[in-house]
């Protein structure tokens, strides 16, 4: 594949003129960017439009960052299949691109007799989902695996292949690869209306008009609203808020696995998990809301998390809290993805992608492209991708500030700007000079970790903002 000149447009600039796009993807979260990457391998003129000023700015930036095995998915569902396939695809892609992954394994811990009695059924369910490495642990083995567990654990189901991954580098890698291969990324471009005549969609956006032969709706929390612009009313997204607490890196030695509760109908419940950045997560809550913008944390939600966490890992609650955050998941009332081709509207809807969307993203993309002929477009034959080399933000790698060879070649990698996260001048410079440079300190944090540490940018924040301002065209 011959690399194309990257095309990224932002607020203040009109959309480019030219013939209609063959395909336009609405929504640049982890699923939308994965689809754009897959389309970039085809002989198609493709656009990716995003309402905000950065990719992965919604659900994709605020999740538990777990690379799931799919052991507890509903057998036979599309979600179960795509999570199973997606785990293998994303694991391989992470290795090729430098996305940090840690295979820490998971323990599904039983705290009462009913939960203990449910574990054999979950083991059998894992087998029906094609996962056969799970095994039951008794109380002694469970305590040996996790010596800091709270008292009273009766046993566990071990899932050795569960892993944690960087949730920010993943969509950034997808989008970078897509843009380098010729996909046009239009940021600050909310879709306000859609008119469809056979063979052509006309999108009215906050930055002008865009025309496309086929539309892929990957708008996440707003997928139902986009469908309704085209006269479809097949599902409603009700946001489900998940609040989480991030504990300091000094808490990392308290936990060796992802510690999961026995799941309920409301979700997988409150977990304790390490992160690839060296912290520990506690959460999420599961609160059904009406407001698709309500990502605030609440005293009640955080109190609930602390109550749950105290039983699982009592000493964790004595550790310092680095941050709290909340994300919204696209719940639709159906325990499966809602991915449908609509040939009469030249549309593929990708809805109801819940917390497993990160794991399944590459498989979702392949599945969506396989539906394009049904929606009226032959995608053509794929060509070999050219994956980008991404900065490894994980604590499991040698960070630039510790890499003597890198510092010898370029002293900027030895000049620390964010002391909490040990982020260097060289890393910030590279992010600002990348194909998709950040436009805010939040965007810079997702690309480098700068500002994500104990002081939450109190010390380095002004310097980071000044660098971003200098880097803007």
């Amino acid at each position: 594949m011959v690399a194309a000149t990257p095309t990224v447009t932002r607020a203040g600039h009109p959309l480019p003129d030219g013939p209609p796009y063959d395909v336009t993807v609405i929504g640049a979260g982890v699923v939308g960017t994965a689809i754009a990457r897959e389309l970039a391998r085809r002989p198609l003129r493709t656009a990716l439009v995003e309402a905000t000023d950065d990719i992965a700015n919604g659900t994709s930036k605020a999740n538990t960052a777990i690379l799931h095995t799919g052991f507890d998915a509903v057998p036979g569902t599309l979600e179960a299949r795509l999570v199973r396939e997606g785990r293998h695809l994303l694991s391989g892609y992470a290795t090729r691109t430098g996305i940090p992954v840690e295979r820490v394994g998971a323990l599904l811990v039983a705290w009462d007799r009913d939960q203990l009695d449910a574990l054999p059924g979950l083991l059998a369910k894992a087998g029906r989902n094609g996962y056969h490495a799970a095994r039951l642990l008794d109380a002694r083995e469970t305590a040996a695996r996790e010596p800091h567990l709270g008292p009273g654990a009766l046993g566990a189901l071990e899932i050795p292949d569960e892993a944690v991954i960087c949730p920010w580098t993943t969509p950034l890698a997808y989008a970078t690869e897509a843009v380098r291969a010729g996909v046009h990324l239009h940021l600050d471009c909310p879709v306000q209306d859609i008119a469809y005549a056979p063979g052509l969609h006309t999108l009215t956006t906050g930055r002008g008009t865009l025309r496309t032969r086929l539309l892929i709706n990957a708008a996440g929390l707003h997928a139902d609203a986009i469908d309704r612009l085209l006269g479809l009313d097949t599902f409603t997204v009700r946001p489900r808020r998940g609040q989480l607490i991030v504990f300091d890196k000094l808490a990392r030695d308290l936990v060796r696995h992802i510690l999961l509760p026995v799941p309920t109908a409301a979700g997988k419940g409150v977990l304790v998990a390490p992160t690839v950045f060296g912290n520990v997560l506690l959460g999420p809550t599961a609160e059904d809301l009406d407001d698709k913008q309500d990502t605030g944390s609440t005293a009640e939600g955080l109190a609930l998390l602390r109550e749950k966490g105290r039983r699982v890992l009592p000493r964790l609650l004595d550790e310092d809290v680095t941050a709290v955050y909340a994300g919204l998941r696209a719940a639709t009332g159906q325990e499966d993805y809602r991915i449908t081709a609509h040939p009469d509207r030249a549309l593929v809807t990708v809805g109801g992608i819940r917390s497993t969307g990160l794991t399944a993203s590459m498989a979702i993309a392949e599945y969506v492209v396989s539906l394009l002929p049904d929606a009226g477009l032959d995608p053509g034959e794929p060509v070999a991708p050219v994956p980008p080399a991404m900065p490894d933000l994980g604590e499991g790698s040698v960070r630039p500030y510790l890499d003597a060879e890198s510092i010898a070649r370029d002293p900027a990698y030895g000049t620390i700007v964010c002391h909490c996260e040990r982020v260097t001048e060289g890393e910030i410079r590279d992010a600002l000079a990348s194909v998709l440079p950040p436009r805010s300190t939040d965007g810079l944090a997702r690309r480098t970790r700068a500002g994500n540490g104990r002081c939450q940018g109190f010390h380095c924040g002004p310097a980071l903002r000044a660098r971003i301002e200098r880097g803007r065209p």
Side-chain angles (χ1 to χ4, degrees), residues 15 31 40 87 90 108 118 131-132 161 163 180 184 215 217 233 236 247 271 278 287 290 354 396 438 460-461:
L15 294 175
V31 172
R87 174 173 73 95
L90 182 49
L108 195 70
Y131 185 75
H132 302 288
D161 295 301
R180 283 179 175 172
H184 291 189
L215 199 59
N217 173 10
D233 188 12
T236 297
F247 287 89
L271 57 83
E287 309 158 61
D290 295 318
R354 303 177 302 156
C460 63

Side-chain angles (χ1 to χ4, degrees), residues 225-247:
I226 295 297
D227 263 16
R228 289 190 178 103
L229 292 177
L230 288 160
L232 295 170
D233 188 12
T234 56
F235 65 90
T236 297
V237 173
R238 188 176 186 193
R240 181 168 294 159
R241 182 169 63 189
Q243 301 184 51
L244 297 106
I245 301 174
V246 183
F247 287 89

